């Protein structure tokens, strides 16, 4: 690996070193109930990427943006890597047929102004109806022939791609990531999660347009020479057992999912399905992208311990798109550490182990991976360990900024510390050498001068059997007497209730547990609470829809 390495140059390296071995397998459940396995060897993948890159260079100039509008598939991997090989700035997105994200797709395309759109034949007509200026390149119509062009190694500080944020707390913004950023973070991930060529593989259903999905499913495997096994997110949601089967069939599997997916799998996989699972060879199961719940880890481990799953494979992580993806992870070889803190003191800004009263148990996000972390106060001054503040990060994987959007998030300075720092907007605390994430600054509910973490309120209301698990969004709204708290949630499937009566019970419970009065409790049908592209509840969008009245038509009571 050289200073000028990119995902594309590493692909060429592995095509020469292990050309006949499998590089990527896509399990296609759209054409087969058992998952039709579509595989490409390293040489086949390299040839296809070169052929598409040759065509892309005829349609766009180096540095132009190339939007990837492809369904989850091996074609997605080809399109993304071809854009990078051609010297274009890839913009990993999704096909227009993906339901519920049309407005986001339009906004992102307007923001990045691509010169070329890479898509597939089955999406060609929809893409033509969506874009008017860019050239359209249909990647599965390009013959897979070895390229004749000599592709120069890129400058490590040239842009590799724009990673658009999921929009959980803000409108999507394109993080500018260089070749150095992304190759570095892929290497960091490979080391952190115990990847070894020939002994481990990655397994992922996460969307390839999402930061973790892209690095886990494509970036890290291409840098490390690992086999990547992919499936569509819908295949997982329809039957989570498919993910577990893929883990069983892939020796030395490394995989990842957001917190809700582990609880979902534990509740949906039947005892009969478990009898086919062999999970003792799983190396790492990454749990990140939101505060990790101890109850979720316990539920998943209890459900699949009989299948050989070891507690130490659970790896709680912290990361964000602005840092490519990975920032910190728990130590290998031991279960993630959990600490029970005094809830009121934590809300007031101090992490104190609980000795009674109201408590909050947090799961450690471990230690930084070849990066530096500081917890700072509102003026950017580091605070003592045990004090809650904003998480700032510095390292070679931090992006250059947002596309077309100057922002003070990047290039911050810490007194007495070298280098540039990223202000994450996330709240956390360093406690006994490990990072504990407590929430997001923009999500914090502040009522009557007291801080409340929304995930604590959401866990309380989701304990009621009429509330659908992982469906609640708690946030604050302005009122005549200051900020007030609101909860929007979905009813559980196959349940009927007096929702006014349930809402009254929830108000009473939140008041008793958190000392917080809810101005409003909104019940909706399953699937109505807005989610981000990675499947997390979007508090920001839910709040917006509450304020503009668009949730009123969905109220059950």
């Amino acid at each position: 690996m050289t200073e000028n390495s990119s995902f594309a140059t590493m692909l060429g390296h592995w095509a020469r070193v292990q050309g006949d071995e499998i590089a990527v397998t896509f399990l296609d459940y759209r054409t087969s109930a058992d998952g039709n396995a579509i595989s490409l060897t390293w040489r086949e993948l390299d040839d296809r990427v070169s052929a598409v890159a040759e065509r892309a260079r005829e349609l766009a100039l180096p540095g132009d943006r190339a939007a990837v509008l492809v369904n989850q598939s091996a074609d997605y991997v080809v399109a993304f890597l071809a854009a990078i090989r051609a010297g274009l700035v890839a913009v990993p997105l999704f096909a227009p047929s993906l339901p519920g994200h049309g407005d986001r797709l339009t906004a992102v395309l307007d923001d990045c102004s691509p010169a070329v759109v890479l898509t597939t034949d089955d999406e060609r007509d929809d893409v033509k109806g969506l874009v008017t200026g860019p050239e359209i390149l249909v990647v599965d119509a390009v013959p897979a022939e070895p390229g004749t062009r000599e592709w120069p190694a890129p400058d490590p500080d040239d842009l590799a791609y724009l990673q658009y944020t999921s929009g959980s707390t803000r409108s999507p913004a394109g993080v500018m990531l260089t070749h150095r950023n992304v190759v570095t973070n892929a290497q960091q991930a490979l080391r952190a999660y115990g990847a070894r060529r020939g002994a481990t593989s990655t397994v992922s259903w996460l969307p390839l347009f999402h930061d973790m999905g892209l690095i886990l499913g494509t970036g890290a495997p291409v840098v490390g020479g690992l086999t990547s096994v992919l499936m569509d997110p819908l295949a997982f949601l329809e039957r989570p057992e498919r993910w577990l089967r893929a883990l069983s069939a892939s020796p030395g599997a490394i995989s990842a999912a957001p917190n809700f997916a582990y609880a979902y799998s534990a509740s949906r996989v039947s005892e009969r399905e478990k009898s086919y699972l062999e999970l003792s060879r799983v190396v790492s199961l990454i749990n990140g992208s939101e505060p990790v719940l101890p109850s979720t880890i316990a539920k998943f481990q209890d459900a699949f311990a009989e299948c050989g799953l070891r507690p130490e494979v659970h790896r709680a992580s912290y990361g964000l798109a602005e840092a490519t993806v990975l920032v910190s992870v728990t130590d290998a070889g031991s279960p993630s550490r959990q600490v029970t803190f005094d809830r009121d003191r934590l809300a007031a800004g101090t992490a104190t182990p609980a000795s009674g009263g109201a408590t909050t148990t947090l799961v450690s996000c471990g230690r930084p991976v070849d990066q530096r972390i500081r917890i700072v106060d509102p003026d950017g001054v580091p605070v003592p360990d045990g004090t809650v503040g904003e998480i700032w990060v510095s390292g070679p994987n931090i992006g250059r900024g947002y596309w077309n959007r100057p922002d003070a998030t990047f290039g911050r300075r810490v007194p007495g510390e070298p280098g540039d720092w990223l202000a994450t907007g996330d709240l956390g605390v360093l406690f006994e050498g490990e990072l504990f994430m407590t929430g997001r600054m923009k999500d914090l509910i502040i009522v009557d001068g007291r801080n409340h973490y929304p995930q604590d309120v959401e866990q309380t209301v989701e304990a009621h059997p009429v509330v659908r698990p992982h469906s609640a969004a708690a946030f604050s709204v302005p009122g005549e007497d200051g900020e007030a708290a609101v909860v929007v949630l979905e009813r559980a499937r196959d349940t009927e209730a007096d929702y006014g009566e349930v809402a009254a019970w929830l108000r009473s419970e939140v008041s008793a547990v958190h000392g917080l009065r809810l101005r409003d409790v909104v019940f909706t049908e399953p699937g109505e609470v807005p989610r981000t592209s990675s499947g997390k509840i979007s508090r920001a969008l839910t709040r917006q829809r509450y304020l503009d009245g668009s949730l009123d038509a969905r109220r059950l009571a």
Side-chain angles (χ1 to χ4, degrees):
M1 196 169 303
T2 68
E3 172 74 11
N4 290 43
S5 293
S6 71
F7 288 167
T9 61
M10 291 307 301
L11 169 62
H13 168 75
W14 295 120
R16 294 188 294 273
V17 170
Q18 51 187 29
D20 294 328
E21 297 181 19
I22 298 298
V24 59
T25 294
F26 178 68
L27 302 176
D28 189 354
Y29 288 95
R30 293 167 291 196
T31 59
S32 168
D34 296 324
N36 182 33
I38 302 169
S39 297
L40 294 173
T41 65
W42 287 98
R43 185 174 295 109
E44 289 169 337
L45 178 59
D46 189 59
D47 288 347
R48 285 201 61 193
V49 166
S50 287
V52 174
E54 291 267 11
R55 182 73 180 114
R57 281 296 292 270
E58 298 171 2
L59 302 174
L61 298 173
D64 284 344
R65 273 73 60 210
V68 180
L69 272 59
V70 180
N71 278 312
Q72 191 101 335
S73 61
D75 288 325
Y76 197 108
V77 178
V78 171
F80 173 71
L81 293 176
I84 290 179
R85 177 162 288 176
L88 307 178
V89 179
V91 186
L93 297 171
F94 42 87
S97 58
L98 183 71
H101 296 283
D103 291 345
R104 178 174 185 267
L105 183 58
T106 300
V108 170
L109 291 173
D110 287 344
D111 186 63
C112 70
S113 302
V116 61
V117 172
L118 287 78
T119 190
T120 50
D121 186 62
D122 58 346
E123 296 287 340
R124 185 200 311 245
D125 290 342
D126 285 344
V127 170
K128 284 182 176 179
L130 181 68
V131 299
T132 55
E135 299 284 350
I136 297 175
L137 175 53
V138 181
V139 297
D140 53 347
V142 178
E145 298 177 357
T148 58
R149 184 192 297 264
E150 286 292 324
W151 299 101
D155 185 307
D157 294 319
D158 283 347
L159 292 186
Y161 58 92
L162 303 181
Q163 180 65 66
Y164 275 83
T165 58
S166 62
S168 59
T169 60
R170 61 181 296 169
S171 60
V175 182
M176 297 187 288
L177 297 171
T178 67
H179 297 289
R180 189 194 308 275
N181 294 153
V182 301
V183 171
T184 295
N185 204 233
Q187 293 172 314
Q188 291 169 338
L190 290 166
R191 289 193 295 272
Y193 297 122
R196 291 188 297 121
R197 184 167 67 93
T200 55
S201 56
T202 65
V203 177
S204 180
W205 54 265
L206 297 175
L208 286 168
F209 57 84
H210 187 259
D211 51 7
M212 188 65 194
L214 188 60
I215 292 296
L216 177 68
T218 300
V222 164
V223 170
L226 311 181
T227 298
S228 171
V229 178
L230 303 171
M231 66 178 66
D232 191 273
L234 184 60
F236 164 76
L237 292 172
E238 288 176 341
R239 287 180 55 192
E241 174 258 350
R242 292 165 172 167
W243 176 41
L244 281 300
R245 279 217 180 189
L247 292 175
S248 297
S250 304
I254 298 171
S255 194
N259 191 78
F260 83 88
Y262 289 97
Y264 180 69
S265 298
S267 62
R268 291 290 298 271
V269 177
S270 68
E271 292 301 318
R272 179 178 176 277
E273 289 169 333
K274 289 179 189 177
S275 67
Y276 295 100
L277 301 179
E278 168 50 62
L279 301 177
S280 63
R281 298 173 297 179
V282 173
V283 170
S284 290
L285 287 179
I286 305 157
N287 189 333
S289 80
E290 58 192 280
V292 177
L293 302 182
S295 58
T296 300
I297 296 176
K299 186 176 183 180
F300 190 85
Q301 182 58 39
D302 290 346
F304 299 107
E306 65 188 82
C307 306
L309 186 68
R310 294 169 291 125
E312 61 267 25
V313 306
H314 294 280
R315 307 293 301 282
S317 295
Y318 169 70
L320 66 168
E322 289 81 355
T324 304
V325 60
L326 173 64
V327 171
S328 71
V329 62
T330 52
D331 296 336
S334 59
S336 299
R337 184 183 179 202
Q338 301 180 14
V339 179
T340 299
F341 295 104
D342 182 296
R343 179 187 293 161
D344 291 337
R345 292 187 179 182
L346 191 66
T350 303
T352 304
S355 58
T359 63
T360 294
T361 300
L362 299 181
V363 178
S364 166
C365 294
R367 309 173 198 276
V369 182
D370 299 328
Q371 300 169 52
R372 292 179 292 158
I373 290 178
R374 298 291 182 270
I375 307 299
V376 303
D377 66 16
D379 295 322
V381 177
V383 298
D385 286 5
T387 303
V388 177
E390 185 179 4
I391 303 170
W392 283 20
V393 183
S394 181
N397 53 301
I398 305 299
R400 280 181 20 191
Y402 296 120
W403 180 259
N404 282 338
R405 190 182 301 192
D407 195 293
T409 296
F410 296 86
R412 303 294 285 271
R413 297 288 178 176
V414 173
E417 298 271 7
D420 292 336
W421 290 78
L422 169 73
T424 68
D426 292 327
L427 292 169
V429 59
L430 289 173
F431 182 80
E432 297 182 352
E434 297 185 60
L435 174 67
F436 291 79
M437 182 185 176
T438 59
R440 292 181 171 87
M441 292 174 64
K442 291 183 179 179
D443 285 342
L444 196 64
I445 299 172
I446 305 175
V447 176
D448 297 330
R450 292 187 61 196
N451 295 342
H452 302 271
Y453 291 108
Q455 63 267 23
D456 290 342
V457 179
E458 290 159 0
Q459 289 177 54
T460 297
V461 299
E462 286 175 357
H464 194 288
V466 172
V467 180
R468 188 184 184 197
H470 316 295
S471 75
F475 50 88
S476 61
V477 296
E480 294 181 2
D481 301 322
E483 292 290 299
V486 172
V487 172
V488 177
L489 37 77
E490 297 170 1
R491 71 168 180 85
R493 295 186 185 276
D494 303 320
T495 60
E496 294 296 336
D498 182 333
Y499 294 105
E501 187 175 291
V502 175
W505 186 91
L506 294 177
R507 290 174 191 272
S508 175
E509 188 72 2
V510 169
S511 177
V513 174
H514 303 281
L516 178 67
R517 184 178 68 83
L518 295 178
R519 169 181 290 181
D520 201 0
V521 177
V522 180
F523 267 98
T524 71
E525 295 287 352
E528 292 290 348
V529 176
R531 286 167 169 78
T532 70
S533 60
S534 58
K536 297 178 291 181
I537 293 294
S538 174
R539 298 185 186 107
L541 185 53
T542 307
R543 180 179 185 274
Q544 176 185 321
R545 291 185 179 177
Y546 175 84
L547 290 173
D548 67 22
S550 59
L551 282 174
D552 288 345
R554 298 171 173 84
R555 285 177 179 261
L556 296 177

